[in-house]
Amino acid sequence: MARKMNYSARLPFTTEQVYEALRSRDYWDAIIEEMRKYSHNEMKTFDVKDSGIDITMLHTIPRTELPDIAQTVMKKDMIITRNIHYDAYSETTAGTYDASIPAGPGSLTGVVSLFPTDAGATLRTTSEAKVYLPFIGGKLEQLMLVNLVDLWRGEGEVTENYLKTKHA
């Protein structure tokens, strides 16, 4: 059974300003730097076109730093490939992401949306975790989603700080 979660980063900037940050390699380098607090991270691809933005990142979490329940499934370091896509800019831009783990027993996918609010813009991520293991699948799905909240919160803070320095 899959589990879902929403996370919203509310930003005091316009959707155009937020999207412009998403198009910037400097912005994604700041995201990578923030994520290094949790694991080894690197940018594999960064492609900006008129049709949208495509990014691929690798996150490596040492097996010894995984929770006990995850160590029962993962026999090596966890290498996560995260693919992110944002459509071309509009006031309500959409996108998708997925994260995969070689030989991992599940999937993590999501949709992202950027839209205006009275106070600025919201960058919302809706995630779905699926783990195909009897008995512990639900626990691992919940663990994945709880950890995503920390990831999205950290990325939201980086986004706000990045935009503050660009629009001060």
Side-chain angles (χ1 to χ4, degrees):
M1 180 174 143
R3 294 177 191 248
K4 291 186 177 188
M5 176 201 67
N6 291 316
Y7 184 83
S8 295
R10 291 169 181 82
L11 303 162
F13 299 93
T14 66
T15 57
E16 189 172 19
Q17 290 169 321
V18 175
Y19 192 84
E20 203 52 43
L22 296 172
R23 292 177 54 88
S24 167
R25 177 64 190 242
D26 289 342
Y27 165 78
W28 289 102
D29 287 343
I31 292 287
I32 292 286
E33 191 59 38
E34 170 66 19
M35 292 185 326
R36 285 192 175 133
K37 294 177 182 176
Y38 310 104
S39 61
H40 173 77
N41 293 278
E42 62 182 281
M43 180 82 64
K44 294 306 281 183
T45 64
F46 178 76
D47 190 22
V48 175
K49 298 178 184 168
D50 289 342
S51 59
I53 306 164
D54 291 291
I55 298 134
T56 301
M57 294 184 276
L58 287 182
H59 313 283
T60 304
I61 303 171
R63 182 178 184 274
T64 55
E65 293 182 23
L66 296 173
D68 292 341
I69 192 168
Q71 286 185 31
T72 63
V73 178
M74 300 302 299
K75 302 303 178 191
K76 297 180 180 181
D77 292 348
M78 183 183 293
I79 300 170
I80 303 165
T81 301
R82 181 165 57 143
N83 300 298
I84 305 164
H85 170 78
Y86 289 96
D87 295 339
Y89 175 76
S90 72
E91 193 175 40
T92 56
T93 299
T96 59
Y97 86 91
D98 66 75
S100 61
I101 303 166
S107 64
L108 183 61
T109 58
V111 294
V112 292
S113 53
L114 173 63
F115 55 90
T117 62
D118 290 341
T122 294
L123 188 57
R124 178 173 293 143
T125 306
T126 302
S127 301
E128 181 177 88
K130 292 181 188 177
V131 176
Y132 310 107
L133 293 173
F135 308 112
I136 63 169
K139 290 179 184 175
L140 286 172
E141 289 167 353
Q142 189 62 36
L143 179 66
M144 289 165 65
L145 293 176
V146 165
N147 284 301
L148 275 181
V149 170
D150 292 336
L151 176 69
W152 302 146
R153 184 179 297 121
E155 288 187 6
E157 290 171 4
V158 169
T159 303
E160 186 163 355
N161 291 336
Y162 179 86
L163 287 165
K164 283 180 181 175
T165 63
K166 294 295 180 189
H167 299 281

CSV table of all heavy atoms in Angstrom, one decimal, residues 39-81:
chain,number,residue,atom,x,y,z
A,39,SER,N,24.1,13.7,3.8
A,39,SER,CA,24.7,12.6,3.0
A,39,SER,C,25.6,13.2,2.0
A,39,SER,O,25.6,14.4,1.8
A,39,SER,CB,23.6,11.8,2.3
A,39,SER,OG,22.8,12.6,1.4
A,40,HIS,N,26.3,12.3,1.3
A,40,HIS,CA,27.1,12.8,0.2
A,40,HIS,C,26.2,13.1,-1.0
A,40,HIS,O,25.3,12.3,-1.3
A,40,HIS,CB,28.2,11.7,-0.2
A,40,HIS,CG,28.9,12.1,-1.5
A,40,HIS,ND1,29.9,13.0,-1.5
A,40,HIS,CD2,28.7,11.7,-2.7
A,40,HIS,CE1,30.3,13.2,-2.7
A,40,HIS,NE2,29.6,12.4,-3.5
A,41,ASN,N,26.3,14.2,-1.6
A,41,ASN,CA,25.5,14.6,-2.7
A,41,ASN,C,26.3,15.2,-3.9
A,41,ASN,O,27.3,15.8,-3.7
A,41,ASN,CB,24.5,15.7,-2.2
A,41,ASN,CG,23.5,15.1,-1.2
A,41,ASN,OD1,22.5,14.5,-1.6
A,41,ASN,ND2,23.8,15.3,0.1
A,42,GLU,N,25.8,15.0,-5.1
A,42,GLU,CA,26.4,15.5,-6.2
A,42,GLU,C,25.4,15.7,-7.3
A,42,GLU,O,24.4,15.0,-7.4
A,42,GLU,CB,27.5,14.7,-6.7
A,42,GLU,CG,27.2,13.3,-7.2
A,42,GLU,CD,28.3,12.5,-7.6
A,42,GLU,OE1,28.8,12.6,-8.7
A,42,GLU,OE2,28.8,11.6,-6.8
A,43,MET,N,25.6,16.7,-8.2
A,43,MET,CA,24.8,17.0,-9.3
A,43,MET,C,25.3,16.2,-10.5
A,43,MET,O,26.5,16.2,-10.8
A,43,MET,CB,24.9,18.5,-9.7
A,43,MET,CG,24.1,18.9,-10.9
A,43,MET,SD,22.4,19.2,-10.5
A,43,MET,CE,22.5,20.6,-9.4
A,44,LYS,N,24.4,15.4,-11.1
A,44,LYS,CA,24.8,14.6,-12.3
A,44,LYS,C,24.5,15.3,-13.6
A,44,LYS,O,25.3,15.3,-14.5
A,44,LYS,CB,24.2,13.2,-12.3
A,44,LYS,CG,24.6,12.3,-11.1
A,44,LYS,CD,26.1,12.2,-11.0
A,44,LYS,CE,26.6,11.2,-12.0
A,44,LYS,NZ,28.1,10.9,-11.9
A,45,THR,N,23.3,15.9,-13.6
A,45,THR,CA,22.9,16.7,-14.8
A,45,THR,C,22.1,17.9,-14.4
A,45,THR,O,21.5,17.9,-13.4
A,45,THR,CB,22.0,15.9,-15.8
A,45,THR,OG1,20.8,15.5,-15.2
A,45,THR,CG2,22.7,14.6,-16.3
A,46,PHE,N,22.3,19.0,-15.2
A,46,PHE,CA,21.6,20.2,-15.0
A,46,PHE,C,21.3,20.8,-16.4
A,46,PHE,O,22.2,21.1,-17.1
A,46,PHE,CB,22.4,21.2,-14.2
A,46,PHE,CG,21.7,22.5,-14.0
A,46,PHE,CD1,20.7,22.7,-13.1
A,46,PHE,CD2,22.1,23.6,-14.7
A,46,PHE,CE1,20.1,23.9,-12.9
A,46,PHE,CE2,21.5,24.9,-14.6
A,46,PHE,CZ,20.4,25.0,-13.7
A,47,ASP,N,20.0,20.8,-16.8
A,47,ASP,CA,19.7,21.2,-18.2
A,47,ASP,C,18.5,22.1,-18.1
A,47,ASP,O,17.4,21.8,-17.7
A,47,ASP,CB,19.3,19.9,-19.0
A,47,ASP,CG,19.2,20.2,-20.5
A,47,ASP,OD1,19.7,21.2,-21.0
A,47,ASP,OD2,18.5,19.4,-21.1
A,48,VAL,N,18.7,23.4,-18.6
A,48,VAL,CA,17.7,24.4,-18.7
A,48,VAL,C,17.4,24.7,-20.1
A,48,VAL,O,18.4,25.1,-20.9
A,48,VAL,CB,18.1,25.6,-17.9
A,48,VAL,CG1,17.1,26.7,-18.0
A,48,VAL,CG2,18.4,25.3,-16.4
A,49,LYS,N,16.2,24.6,-20.5
A,49,LYS,CA,15.7,24.9,-21.9
A,49,LYS,C,14.5,25.7,-21.8
A,49,LYS,O,13.9,25.9,-20.7
A,49,LYS,CB,15.4,23.6,-22.7
A,49,LYS,CG,16.6,22.7,-22.8
A,49,LYS,CD,16.2,21.5,-23.6
A,49,LYS,CE,17.3,20.5,-23.7
A,49,LYS,NZ,16.9,19.2,-24.1
A,50,ASP,N,14.0,26.2,-22.9
A,50,ASP,CA,12.7,27.0,-22.9
A,50,ASP,C,11.6,26.1,-22.5
A,50,ASP,O,10.6,26.5,-22.0
A,50,ASP,CB,12.5,27.5,-24.3
A,50,ASP,CG,13.4,28.7,-24.7
A,50,ASP,OD1,14.0,29.3,-23.7
A,50,ASP,OD2,13.5,29.0,-25.9
A,51,SER,N,11.7,24.8,-22.7
A,51,SER,CA,10.7,23.8,-22.4
A,51,SER,C,10.6,23.4,-21.0
A,51,SER,O,9.7,22.8,-20.5
A,51,SER,CB,10.8,22.6,-23.3
A,51,SER,OG,12.0,22.0,-23.1
A,52,GLY,N,11.7,23.8,-20.2
A,52,GLY,CA,11.7,23.4,-18.8
A,52,GLY,C,13.1,23.2,-18.2
A,52,GLY,O,14.1,23.5,-18.9
A,53,ILE,N,13.1,22.6,-17.0
A,53,ILE,CA,14.3,22.4,-16.3
A,53,ILE,C,14.4,20.9,-15.9
A,53,ILE,O,13.4,20.3,-15.5
A,53,ILE,CB,14.3,23.2,-15.0
A,53,ILE,CG1,14.0,24.7,-15.3
A,53,ILE,CG2,15.6,23.0,-14.2
A,53,ILE,CD1,13.6,25.4,-14.0
A,54,ASP,N,15.5,20.3,-16.1
A,54,ASP,CA,15.8,18.9,-15.8
A,54,ASP,C,17.1,18.8,-15.0
A,54,ASP,O,18.1,19.3,-15.4
A,54,ASP,CB,15.8,18.0,-17.0
A,54,ASP,CG,14.5,17.9,-17.7
A,54,ASP,OD1,13.6,17.2,-17.1
A,54,ASP,OD2,14.3,18.4,-18.8
A,55,ILE,N,17.0,18.1,-13.8
A,55,ILE,CA,18.1,18.0,-12.9
A,55,ILE,C,18.1,16.5,-12.5
A,55,ILE,O,17.1,15.9,-12.2
A,55,ILE,CB,17.9,18.9,-11.7
A,55,ILE,CG1,17.9,20.3,-12.1
A,55,ILE,CG2,19.0,18.7,-10.7
A,55,ILE,CD1,16.8,21.1,-11.5
A,56,THR,N,19.4,16.0,-12.3
A,56,THR,CA,19.6,14.7,-11.7
A,56,THR,C,20.6,14.8,-10.7
A,56,THR,O,21.7,15.4,-10.9
A,56,THR,CB,20.0,13.6,-12.8
A,56,THR,OG1,19.0,13.5,-13.8
A,56,THR,CG2,20.2,12.3,-12.1
A,57,MET,N,20.3,14.4,-9.5
A,57,MET,CA,21.2,14.4,-8.3
A,57,MET,C,21.4,13.0,-7.8
A,57,MET,O,20.5,12.2,-7.8
A,57,MET,CB,20.7,15.3,-7.2
A,57,MET,CG,20.6,16.8,-7.6
A,57,MET,SD,20.1,17.8,-6.2
A,57,MET,CE,18.4,17.6,-6.3
A,58,LEU,N,22.6,12.7,-7.2
A,58,LEU,CA,22.9,11.5,-6.5
A,58,LEU,C,23.1,11.8,-5.1
A,58,LEU,O,23.8,12.7,-4.7
A,58,LEU,CB,24.1,10.8,-7.1
A,58,LEU,CG,24.1,10.2,-8.4
A,58,LEU,CD1,25.4,9.5,-8.7
A,58,LEU,CD2,23.0,9.2,-8.5
A,59,HIS,N,22.4,11.0,-4.2
A,59,HIS,CA,22.6,11.2,-2.8
A,59,HIS,C,23.1,9.8,-2.3
A,59,HIS,O,22.5,8.8,-2.6
A,59,HIS,CB,21.2,11.4,-2.1
A,59,HIS,CG,20.4,12.5,-2.7
A,59,HIS,ND1,20.7,13.9,-2.6
A,59,HIS,CD2,19.4,12.5,-3.5
A,59,HIS,CE1,19.9,14.6,-3.3
A,59,HIS,NE2,19.0,13.8,-3.9
A,60,THR,N,24.1,9.8,-1.5
A,60,THR,CA,24.7,8.5,-1.0
A,60,THR,C,24.6,8.6,0.5
A,60,THR,O,25.3,9.5,1.1
A,60,THR,CB,26.1,8.3,-1.5
A,60,THR,OG1,26.2,8.3,-2.9
A,60,THR,CG2,26.7,7.0,-1.0
A,61,ILE,N,23.9,7.7,1.1
A,61,ILE,CA,23.8,7.6,2.6
A,61,ILE,C,24.5,6.3,3.0
A,61,ILE,O,24.1,5.2,2.6
A,61,ILE,CB,22.3,7.6,3.0
A,61,ILE,CG1,21.6,8.8,2.5
A,61,ILE,CG2,22.2,7.5,4.6
A,61,ILE,CD1,20.1,8.8,2.7
A,62,PRO,N,25.6,6.4,3.9
A,62,PRO,CA,26.2,5.2,4.3
A,62,PRO,C,25.3,4.3,5.0
A,62,PRO,O,24.4,4.7,5.8
A,62,PRO,CB,27.3,5.7,5.3
A,62,PRO,CG,27.5,7.2,4.9
A,62,PRO,CD,26.2,7.6,4.4
A,63,ARG,N,25.4,3.0,4.8
A,63,ARG,CA,24.5,2.0,5.4
A,63,ARG,C,24.5,2.1,6.9
A,63,ARG,O,23.4,2.0,7.5
A,63,ARG,CB,24.9,0.6,5.0
A,63,ARG,CG,24.0,-0.5,5.6
A,63,ARG,CD,24.4,-1.9,5.1
A,63,ARG,NE,23.5,-2.9,5.6
A,63,ARG,CZ,23.5,-3.4,6.8
A,63,ARG,NH1,24.5,-3.1,7.6
A,63,ARG,NH2,22.6,-4.3,7.1
A,64,THR,N,25.6,2.5,7.5
A,64,THR,CA,25.7,2.6,9.0
A,64,THR,C,24.8,3.7,9.5
A,64,THR,O,24.5,3.7,10.7
A,64,THR,CB,27.1,2.8,9.4
A,64,THR,OG1,27.7,3.9,8.7
A,64,THR,CG2,28.0,1.5,9.1
A,65,GLU,N,24.5,4.7,8.7
A,65,GLU,CA,23.7,5.8,9.1
A,65,GLU,C,22.2,5.6,8.9
A,65,GLU,O,21.4,6.4,9.2
A,65,GLU,CB,24.1,7.1,8.4
A,65,GLU,CG,25.5,7.5,8.9
A,65,GLU,CD,26.0,8.8,8.3
A,65,GLU,OE1,25.1,9.6,7.8
A,65,GLU,OE2,27.2,9.0,8.2
A,66,LEU,N,21.8,4.5,8.3
A,66,LEU,CA,20.4,4.2,8.0
A,66,LEU,C,19.8,3.6,9.3
A,66,LEU,O,20.4,3.0,10.1
A,66,LEU,CB,20.3,3.1,6.9
A,66,LEU,CG,20.8,3.5,5.6
A,66,LEU,CD1,20.7,2.3,4.6
A,66,LEU,CD2,19.9,4.6,5.0
A,67,PRO,N,18.5,3.9,9.5
A,67,PRO,CA,17.8,3.3,10.7
A,67,PRO,C,17.9,1.8,10.6
A,67,PRO,O,18.0,1.2,9.5
A,67,PRO,CB,16.3,3.8,10.5
A,67,PRO,CG,16.4,5.0,9.6
A,67,PRO,CD,17.6,4.7,8.7
A,68,ASP,N,17.8,1.1,11.7
A,68,ASP,CA,17.9,-0.3,11.8
A,68,ASP,C,17.0,-1.1,10.8
A,68,ASP,O,17.4,-2.0,10.2
A,68,ASP,CB,17.6,-0.8,13.2
A,68,ASP,CG,18.7,-0.4,14.2
A,68,ASP,OD1,19.8,-0.1,13.7
A,68,ASP,OD2,18.5,-0.5,15.4
A,69,ILE,N,15.7,-0.6,10.8
A,69,ILE,CA,14.8,-1.3,9.9
A,69,ILE,C,15.2,-1.2,8.4
A,69,ILE,O,15.0,-2.1,7.7
A,69,ILE,CB,13.3,-0.7,10.1
A,69,ILE,CG1,12.3,-1.6,9.4
A,69,ILE,CG2,13.2,0.7,9.6
A,69,ILE,CD1,10.9,-1.3,9.7
A,70,ALA,N,15.8,-0.1,8.0
A,70,ALA,CA,16.3,0.1,6.7
A,70,ALA,C,17.5,-0.8,6.4
A,70,ALA,O,17.7,-1.3,5.3
A,70,ALA,CB,16.6,1.5,6.3
A,71,GLN,N,18.3,-1.0,7.4
A,71,GLN,CA,19.5,-1.8,7.3
A,71,GLN,C,19.2,-3.2,7.0
A,71,GLN,O,20.0,-4.0,6.4
A,71,GLN,CB,20.4,-1.7,8.5
A,71,GLN,CG,21.2,-0.3,8.6
A,71,GLN,CD,22.1,-0.3,9.8
A,71,GLN,OE1,22.7,-1.3,10.2
A,71,GLN,NE2,22.3,0.9,10.3
A,72,THR,N,18.0,-3.7,7.5
A,72,THR,CA,17.6,-5.1,7.2
A,72,THR,C,17.4,-5.3,5.7
A,72,THR,O,17.5,-6.4,5.3
A,72,THR,CB,16.3,-5.4,8.0
A,72,THR,OG1,15.2,-4.6,7.5
A,72,THR,CG2,16.5,-5.3,9.5
A,73,VAL,N,17.1,-4.2,5.0
A,73,VAL,CA,16.8,-4.3,3.6
A,73,VAL,C,18.0,-4.0,2.7
A,73,VAL,O,18.3,-4.6,1.8
A,73,VAL,CB,15.6,-3.4,3.2
A,73,VAL,CG1,15.3,-3.5,1.7
A,73,VAL,CG2,14.4,-3.8,4.0
A,74,MET,N,18.7,-2.9,3.1
A,74,MET,CA,19.8,-2.4,2.4
A,74,MET,C,21.1,-3.0,2.9
A,74,MET,O,21.5,-2.8,4.1
A,74,MET,CB,19.9,-0.9,2.5
A,74,MET,CG,18.7,-0.1,1.9
A,74,MET,SD,18.3,-0.5,0.2
A,74,MET,CE,19.8,0.1,-0.6
A,75,LYS,N,21.8,-3.8,2.1
A,75,LYS,CA,23.0,-4.4,2.5
A,75,LYS,C,24.3,-3.6,2.2
A,75,LYS,O,25.4,-4.0,2.6
A,75,LYS,CB,23.1,-5.8,1.9
A,75,LYS,CG,21.9,-6.7,2.3
A,75,LYS,CD,21.8,-6.9,3.8
A,75,LYS,CE,20.6,-7.7,4.1
A,75,LYS,NZ,20.3,-7.6,5.6
A,76,LYS,N,24.1,-2.5,1.5
A,76,LYS,CA,25.2,-1.6,1.1
A,76,LYS,C,24.8,-0.2,1.3
A,76,LYS,O,23.6,0.1,1.7
A,76,LYS,CB,25.5,-1.8,-0.4
A,76,LYS,CG,26.0,-3.2,-0.8
A,76,LYS,CD,26.3,-3.2,-2.3
A,76,LYS,CE,26.8,-4.6,-2.7
A,76,LYS,NZ,27.1,-4.6,-4.1
A,77,ASP,N,25.7,0.8,1.1
A,77,ASP,CA,25.3,2.2,1.2
A,77,ASP,C,24.1,2.4,0.3
A,77,ASP,O,23.9,1.8,-0.8
A,77,ASP,CB,26.4,3.1,0.8
A,77,ASP,CG,27.6,3.0,1.7
A,77,ASP,OD1,27.5,2.5,2.8
A,77,ASP,OD2,28.7,3.6,1.3
A,78,MET,N,23.2,3.3,0.7
A,78,MET,CA,22.0,3.6,-0.1
A,78,MET,C,22.4,4.7,-1.1
A,78,MET,O,22.8,5.8,-0.7
A,78,MET,CB,20.9,4.1,0.8
A,78,MET,CG,19.6,4.4,0.0
A,78,MET,SD,18.2,5.0,1.1
A,78,MET,CE,17.9,3.5,2.0
A,79,ILE,N,22.3,4.5,-2.4
A,79,ILE,CA,22.6,5.4,-3.4
A,79,ILE,C,21.2,5.8,-4.0
A,79,ILE,O,20.6,4.9,-4.6
A,79,ILE,CB,23.6,4.9,-4.4
A,79,ILE,CG1,24.9,4.6,-3.7
A,79,ILE,CG2,23.8,5.9,-5.5
A,79,ILE,CD1,25.9,3.8,-4.6
A,80,ILE,N,20.8,7.0,-3.9
A,80,ILE,CA,19.5,7.5,-4.4
A,80,ILE,C,19.8,8.4,-5.6
A,80,ILE,O,20.5,9.4,-5.5
A,80,ILE,CB,18.8,8.3,-3.3
A,80,ILE,CG1,18.6,7.4,-2.0
A,80,ILE,CG2,17.4,8.8,-3.8
A,80,ILE,CD1,18.2,8.2,-0.8
A,81,THR,N,19.1,8.1,-6.7
A,81,THR,CA,19.1,9.0,-7.8
A,81,THR,C,17.8,9.7,-7.9
A,81,THR,O,16.8,9.1,-7.9
A,81,THR,CB,19.3,8.2,-9.1
A,81,THR,OG1,20.5,7.4,-9.1
A,81,THR,CG2,19.3,9.1,-10.4
